[in-house]
Amino acid sequence: MDRFGNPVYLAAAHIPRKRGDGPYETRNLQELPKFRDGLSYIYLEHGRIEQQDQAVAYYSQEGVVSIPAAALGVLLLGPGTAITHAAIRQLANNGCSVFWVGEEMVRFYASGMGETRSSANLMRQAQAWANPEVHLEVVKRLYRMRFPEPLSPELSLEQIRGLEGVRVRDTYARWSRETGVEWKGRNYNRGNWAEADPINRALSAGAACLYGLAHAAIVSAGYSPALGFIHTGKQLSFVYDVADIYKAETLIPTAFRVVAESDVGVERRVRCTLRDQLREVRLLERIVSDLHSLFDALDVPDPYAADAAAPGELWDPNGPVPGGIAYGSDHPGESAQDPEG
C-alpha cells in the first residue's frame, strides 16, 4: 500500500525507475494490499512474469520487480501479460491463485489452479447450500447486506423480496431525478442490442464488469461461483448473488452519470469509469471480507489444518473416513503417497 493506505497496482507506468544511465534497478515489493488474514493480491499488465529463485519477477519496459510468491495469494494478469511455465509452477507451489482478467480486473476470463490445500470455505458454502434452514438464513443475510439500514428479523422471505423490489425501483428513480436521464425501466433485447436505450446499455456493460470482479473474489477466497443461494441453476449463480450487494452503491449511479454526460459510446465509458471507481473503493478486498462474514457463523472444521499436505478425507454415509489409506489391501494401514514433483 502507499502512504495513504491505497492498494499498489503494478502496471507498466507504475514500476521501477532507472539508476543513472545503467541498467534498471530491481526493487523488492515489500507490501501488498491484504484481503484478510495474510491473503494478498496484485494486478499486472503489459509485461512478462518469470521465475526468479524462489520468487517470480515481473519484467516491463520500465524495469524489473521481484514479487515474493510465498506472500502472494492472488496474481491477476491483465492485458499484454505473458507468464512462463516455471513461474506458474512456482506460484502453484506457494498456493497462489492465478487469474486472467480484463483491464484493471473488470472482466474475469479464466483461472488456474488456486489454493488447494484447504477446501474449508467451499465446504462451508456447500453445507449452507444443502441445509434448507441454513440456506434460508444465508438468503436473508444476502438481502440484508444490500440495505443500509437493518431489517427486522421477523420479516419473512417474501416480505424481504418485496422490500428489495421497492429499494431497487427507488434507486433507479432517484438517480434518474438527480442526473436528468430518462428511466423507462430495465428492458433490453439481447438479440438486438442497438435497440436498447443508452442507460440500459450502460447498466448491462457495467454489470459485466462487476460480475467479473465478484467472480475473481469468489474463486480467490475458495468459494464456488456456481453454488448460489438467491440465484440458482447457473454456473455463475453465486456471482449474481454477490454482485447484487454492490449494484446500488457502484453500478447504478455510475451508469446514470455516464449517460448524463453523453449518450455516445456509453459501453466503453461506463467500463472505464466503473473500473476506476471499484479500484478506489477497494471493492475486491471488501467482497472477500464480506464473503467470510457471510459464512462465519457456520462452523466447519478444516480437516487439513494440522498438515496442509495430508490427503483429503473420504465421504461415507456414517461420516468421513481417513483418506490416503489402501483399504482392502493386505496392509490396511498402508498410506498411499503421491510422488513428488
Side-chain angles (χ1 to χ4, degrees):
M1 295 183 181
D2 63 18
R3 61 193 181 92
F4 301 106
N6 298 316
V8 175
Y9 293 81
L10 295 187
H14 297 163
I15 323 187
R17 57 187 181 276
K18 267 191 175 181
R19 184 168 50 197
D21 295 326
Y24 288 104
E25 177 183 357
T26 299
R27 289 159 46 191
N28 288 326
L29 192 66
Q30 306 207 350
E31 288 190 19
L32 296 172
K34 297 294 182 182
F35 274 138
R36 175 179 171 177
D37 297 335
L39 179 64
S40 55
Y41 76 96
I42 191 170
Y43 167 82
L44 303 175
E45 62 180 30
H46 302 296
R48 179 179 176 84
I49 300 96
E50 298 183 1
Q51 182 181 10
Q52 184 186 73
D53 299 324
Q54 298 303 310
V56 294
Y58 170 66
Y59 296 82
S60 74
Q61 292 182 347
E62 298 191 5
V64 183
V65 173
S66 297
I67 303 173
L72 189 62
V74 183
L75 175 62
L76 300 117
L77 302 179
T81 51
I83 188 166
T84 66
H85 180 278
I88 286 287
R89 182 180 59 194
Q90 183 66 32
L91 292 165
N93 288 340
N94 284 279
C96 178
S97 301
V98 181
F99 299 145
W100 284 262
V101 298
E103 185 181 5
E104 296 294 353
M105 305 174 293
V106 296
R107 289 183 182 272
F108 183 99
Y109 298 123
S111 66
M113 182 178 295
E115 175 59 84
T116 58
R117 293 185 178 92
S118 173
S119 60
N121 287 339
L122 177 57
M123 290 168 64
R124 289 200 300 172
Q125 181 186 6
Q127 181 188 49
W129 181 89
N131 185 311
E133 292 183 2
V134 181
H135 190 128
L136 176 60
E137 175 59 28
V138 174
V139 168
K140 290 183 176 181
R141 288 190 190 185
L142 285 166
Y143 275 124
R144 290 190 184 107
M145 292 170 72
R146 305 181 189 185
F147 287 85
E149 69 282 349
L151 297 179
S152 170
E154 305 300 324
L155 292 174
S156 67
L157 180 57
E158 290 75 16
Q159 290 172 320
I160 295 177
R161 283 201 191 107
L163 291 173
E164 167 65 2
V166 172
R167 183 189 72 93
V168 172
R169 289 193 295 272
D170 288 349
T171 301
Y172 285 129
R174 170 197 166 193
W175 286 104
S176 177
R177 291 192 303 269
E178 291 195 12
T179 61
V181 175
E182 185 179 8
W183 176 247
K184 299 178 181 178
R186 191 74 172 101
N187 185 26
Y188 64 96
N189 182 359
R190 292 182 179 178
N192 195 341
W193 179 252
E195 281 189 355
D197 58 19
I199 184 59
N200 271 285
R201 297 203 308 273
L203 287 166
S204 296
C209 300
L210 186 58
Y211 292 153
L213 195 67
H215 194 158
I218 289 167
V219 175
S220 70
Y223 298 99
S224 167
L227 283 182
F229 291 82
I230 296 174
H231 298 85
T232 62
K234 299 290 185 179
Q235 284 295 324
L236 299 181
S237 291
F238 196 47
V239 173
Y240 305 145
D241 286 354
V242 172
D244 281 351
I245 298 171
Y246 313 99
K247 277 185 178 179
E249 173 189 351
T250 60
L251 170 61
I252 295 176
T254 298
F256 274 91
R257 286 168 179 159
V258 165
V259 175
E261 293 173 358
S262 170
D263 60 2
V264 177
V266 295
E267 294 90 346
R268 181 183 181 279
R269 289 170 47 234
V270 78
R271 285 197 297 267
C272 293
T273 305
L274 187 62
R275 172 198 66 195
D276 295 339
Q277 182 193 7
L278 298 182
R279 182 173 65 180
E280 288 174 5
V281 300
R282 299 163 67 177
L283 187 64
L284 191 63
E285 294 158 275
R286 280 181 53 193
I287 292 175
V288 173
S289 178
D290 289 344
L291 284 171
H292 292 322
S293 298
L294 181 66
F295 295 104
D296 269 349
L298 305 175
D299 185 17
V300 179
D302 182 357
Y304 317 124
D307 182 1
E313 294 179 329
L314 306 180
W315 182 89
D316 187 271
N318 297 317
V321 297
I325 302 296
Y327 291 98
S329 70
D330 294 335
H331 304 283
E334 182 181 354
S335 297
Q337 299 293 334
D338 290 333
E340 295 183 0

